Amino acid sequence: MIDRNGQRAIGISMNGNRLDKKMSVVLVAGILLACVCALAILLWKNGAFLPQWISWENRTILDHVQAYQVVLKKKKARVIQNDEVIWESPENIKVQDVVLCDIDRDMQKELIVLCWKVGRYGKRMPFWIAEDEKSWSQHLFVYKYHEKEIRPKWMSSYIGQDVAKMQDNGKETPYTRLWLTDLKGNTSSWMWDSWGFVKEESEISFVALGDNIIHEPIYRYGLQQEEGFSFLYQNIKNIVSDADVSIINQETPLTENPAMYGDYPRFGTPVEVGEAIVEAGFDVVTCATNHALDRGGEGADFTKSFFEKNGITCLGIQTQNEMEYQPYKIIARNGVKFALLNYTYGTNGIEASASNPYVVHRLGNKEQICYDIEMAKSEADFVIVFVHWGTENSEEISDFQQKWAQIFLDSKVDVVIGTHPHVLQSYEIMTDNGGHRMLVYYSLGNYISAQSEKVCIKGGMAKFSIGLTKEGYQITEYDLQPLEIAWHNGGKYVVTIQEEMSK
């Protein structure tokens, strides 16, 4: 028999074994937990738990001026000069993308880094923030090349939006912008403003009106009015002022000499009409029309000089002093550059003088016009062509219009606005084989005239907006607001706005 003491000794031994096993299990579990924690910390520091939607770019960018290259690989950026690494991104950040451009307009490129780091702030936090966050957040860092060193210029706080793609707009100073595309594909434009990035309003609205033809009944009435010719634009003045860019086709040349006033076929328009255009707030006038030389080169000189002196961009004609061909003008809105071109099919048989061959821009030489557009595109984000074409009093699109519309599409023009037929014609979006879209208004008809034909009293106001997309600036909205010319007793001609028509 086993005595009680023996049984007790065996019991103690069995309990000890169980305790040893439990301690071993606890020890192993502790070690495993420590390993898991260490691994988690290591993975965390290496960005393994960053959002899965991030596209980590790998690329090399060359800076030929400063003779260095930026290498982005495996979430890390390096700057190499003469085979030596002169800078590399800090260990605590993970680099998603890099851009090299002159964002601050000092004629020297900056290195812009789209990156991730833990926390929303740097060493200096706003006084109202007690403790920084422990999660990863996205940032923009800007570095400057200085005396063969790469130095921090601007270390951002939290961006405030998830950026899937970063790029510059490809334009030189002062129009260099940073484009950020979010997860939904929406692209926003950011400019450098003294100290940091400022988001720009990237939607630009346009309003364009047709032929401003001042027949004798119109100018005789206007010259008798104390307020001048402001009645011509009173019903659309608010629309013009609300648009970022407003345009009207000034069909007839201006003059301040009453002896030069005239009606069809050789027009001369009182300069007071131009004053009313200025007062209405128009930004651009197009003057390449078949009546541009009705008062000779002197009329074109006076017309352009008047508008330019009053701050209105005048297209399609050149003065005697402008001896070099100037086929386009560049205007800018919200950091976006627009190239504006204006041509006419002819000038009613009146030829330009040898001393000023470029007095009116003509729609003739295809190679020259394609070259004009190519040069304009190299300077601008968006190209608009205003063209005087088509068959008078015809609502049908002519073969001539179709031919040139295709040429403009092939040249990657963005918008074409037509005048001259004196009647309203259709409008459409044309698309080439590569997917480029071009908006064409074949004819806006008359804005104002004394033509009595029913089709000639109905015109249109083109309205379209340009917005920023991940493919660049594109047409986001477009329509046509019908207008109608009304005559009142006493000889007053006014323009009334009609209900919108469908596309």
Side-chain angles (χ1 to χ4, degrees):
M1 294 180 62
I2 301 174
D3 63 16
R4 293 180 179 177
N5 290 333
Q7 289 180 351
R8 190 178 297 114
I10 294 173
I12 293 173
S13 177
M14 292 177 64
N15 288 336
N17 289 337
R18 290 194 190 99
L19 183 61
D20 289 344
K21 289 181 179 179
K22 287 182 180 180
M23 291 179 64
S24 297
V25 169
V26 170
L27 181 61
V28 170
I31 293 172
L32 289 175
L33 181 60
C35 291
V36 169
C37 290
L39 179 61
I41 292 171
L42 182 62
L43 291 172
W44 176 264
K45 288 184 176 181
N46 283 279
F49 299 107
L50 283 163
Q52 294 301 305
W53 57 261
I54 302 174
S55 176
W56 299 99
E57 301 294 334
N58 292 300
R59 64 174 54 136
T60 299
I61 305 174
L62 301 178
D63 186 318
H64 299 288
V65 176
Q66 302 294 346
Y68 65 74
Q69 60 180 340
V70 181
V71 178
L72 174 60
K73 190 174 182 181
K74 296 182 178 180
K75 305 176 186 178
K76 195 172 187 65
R78 293 180 175 85
V79 177
I80 301 172
Q81 190 173 43
N82 298 326
D83 297 326
E84 179 185 355
V85 176
I86 63 173
W87 176 86
E88 60 183 4
S89 54
E91 290 293 335
N92 64 331
I93 72 170
K94 306 303 173 187
V95 181
Q96 181 179 342
D97 205 351
V98 294
V99 162
L100 199 61
C101 66
D102 181 14
I103 197 66
D104 63 357
R105 305 177 292 281
D106 67 347
M107 308 306 292
Q108 187 175 352
K109 291 183 178 181
E110 287 77 44
L111 174 63
I112 303 175
V113 178
L114 177 64
C115 62
W116 292 79
K117 78 175 192 67
V118 176
R120 293 192 175 190
Y121 304 98
K123 294 181 180 179
R124 298 177 181 178
M125 297 189 299
F127 68 88
W128 61 87
I129 302 296
E131 185 178 2
D132 201 354
E133 296 183 4
K134 302 301 182 183
S135 59
W136 287 90
S137 61
Q138 199 176 37
H139 297 256
L140 284 174
F141 290 173
V142 180
Y143 294 89
K144 193 78 174 176
Y145 183 90
H146 179 74
E147 296 180 354
K148 298 184 179 181
E149 292 183 7
I150 304 296
R151 297 181 179 179
K153 176 181 175 65
W154 185 75
M155 304 289 103
S156 83
S157 57
Y158 176 61
I159 295 175
Q161 68 180 60
D162 291 326
V163 179
K165 181 180 179 181
M166 176 181 71
Q167 64 188 106
D168 67 284
N169 65 347
K171 304 300 177 183
E172 297 297 328
T173 298
Y175 296 104
T176 306
R177 298 293 187 269
L178 195 64
W179 289 354
L180 303 180
T181 302
D182 64 19
L183 298 181
K184 296 181 179 179
N186 300 316
T187 301
S188 54
S189 178
W190 298 72
M191 66 172 290
W192 185 265
D193 186 19
S194 299
W195 190 250
F197 289 95
V198 176
K199 186 177 181 180
E200 291 185 306
E201 175 60 51
S202 59
E203 192 85 354
I204 300 101
S205 60
F206 283 75
V207 165
L209 298 166
D211 298 331
N212 200 56
I213 308 176
I214 310 303
H215 288 96
E216 184 176 359
I218 299 175
Y219 71 70
R220 285 198 180 279
Y221 175 85
L223 289 171
Q224 297 172 10
Q225 308 308 308
E226 185 177 344
E227 71 275 12
F229 290 86
S230 60
F231 64 93
L232 293 176
Y233 314 106
Q234 63 186 14
N235 289 339
I236 52 95
K237 187 174 180 180
N238 289 340
I239 297 174
V240 167
S241 62
D242 288 344
D244 293 309
V245 183
S246 54
I247 309 105
I248 191 167
N249 180 57
Q250 180 54 40
E251 178 89 15
T252 55
L254 304 179
T255 178
E256 59 184 351
N257 181 2
M260 299 296 286
Y261 297 164
D263 200 327
Y264 180 83
R266 296 289 175 87
F267 287 91
T269 297
V271 69
E272 288 84 355
V273 173
E275 292 170 356
I277 290 173
V278 173
E279 194 272 334
F282 283 96
D283 302 294
V284 179
V285 292
T286 55
C287 294
T289 75
N290 56 309
H291 291 289
L293 294 180
D294 280 5
R295 291 294 176 245
E298 295 79 5
D301 265 21
F302 180 81
T303 301
K304 180 162 190 183
S305 297
F306 170 82
F307 284 124
E308 295 285 350
K309 286 177 182 177
N310 284 279
I312 295 180
T313 300
C314 184
L315 304 177
I317 56 176
Q318 294 184 206
T319 67
Q320 296 279 355
N321 295 326
E322 296 171 322
M323 299 306 295
E324 294 185 4
Y325 182 46
Q326 300 173 13
Y328 57 88
K329 292 287 187 70
I330 302 290
I331 65 171
R333 296 291 188 277
N334 298 342
V336 185
K337 297 172 71 175
F338 296 91
L340 311 178
L341 303 92
N342 182 205
Y343 303 98
T344 178
Y345 74 94
T347 51
N348 292 344
I350 305 173
E351 296 300 324
S353 67
S355 62
N356 189 9
Y358 308 124
V359 62
V360 181
H361 298 167
R362 302 284 295 269
L363 191 67
N365 187 321
K366 173 185 173 183
E367 287 71 24
Q368 179 62 57
I369 290 174
C370 289
Y371 181 76
D372 294 346
I373 295 168
E374 181 183 352
M375 291 297 98
K377 287 182 69 65
S378 69
E379 292 188 41
D381 301 291
F382 206 84
V383 176
I384 304 176
V385 174
F386 301 89
V387 56
H388 214 60
W389 61 0
T391 304
E392 290 189 358
N393 303 328
S394 174
E395 296 176 332
E396 299 297 321
I397 311 303
S398 69
D399 292 342
F400 185 79
Q401 288 171 290
Q402 292 177 358
K403 165 194 165 184
W404 278 100
Q406 186 61 50
I407 292 171
F408 294 143
L409 179 64
D410 293 342
S411 298
K412 309 299 184 192
V413 170
D414 297 294
V415 177
V416 175
I417 298 177
T419 53
H420 175 64
H422 307 308
V423 300
L424 194 58
Q425 294 179 341
S426 62
Y427 64 112
E428 66 173 333
I429 290 282
M430 298 177 66
T431 307
D432 68 11
N433 293 333
H436 177 76
R437 300 166 73 244
M438 182 178 79
L439 173 61
V440 186
Y441 292 91
Y442 287 98
S443 173
L444 297 181
N446 291 332
Y447 172 72
I448 193 71
S449 84
Q451 291 177 292
S452 59
E453 296 88 343
K454 184 174 290 188
V455 291
C456 294
I457 67 173
K458 295 182 182 296
M461 176 166 51
K463 297 192 295 185
F464 57 95
S465 295
I466 310 303
L468 182 59
T469 71
K470 59 184 178 180
E471 286 80 27
Y473 289 97
Q474 303 280 339
I475 300 160
T476 55
E477 294 181 317
Y478 65 98
D479 61 16
L480 183 76
Q481 183 80 58
L483 306 174
E484 188 169 303
I485 303 168
W487 180 85
H488 295 277
N489 289 334
K492 182 179 182 180
Y493 287 79
V494 296
V495 175
T496 59
I497 300 174
Q498 308 298 301
E499 293 183 6
E500 292 192 15
M501 62 186 294
S502 59
K503 297 180 178 62

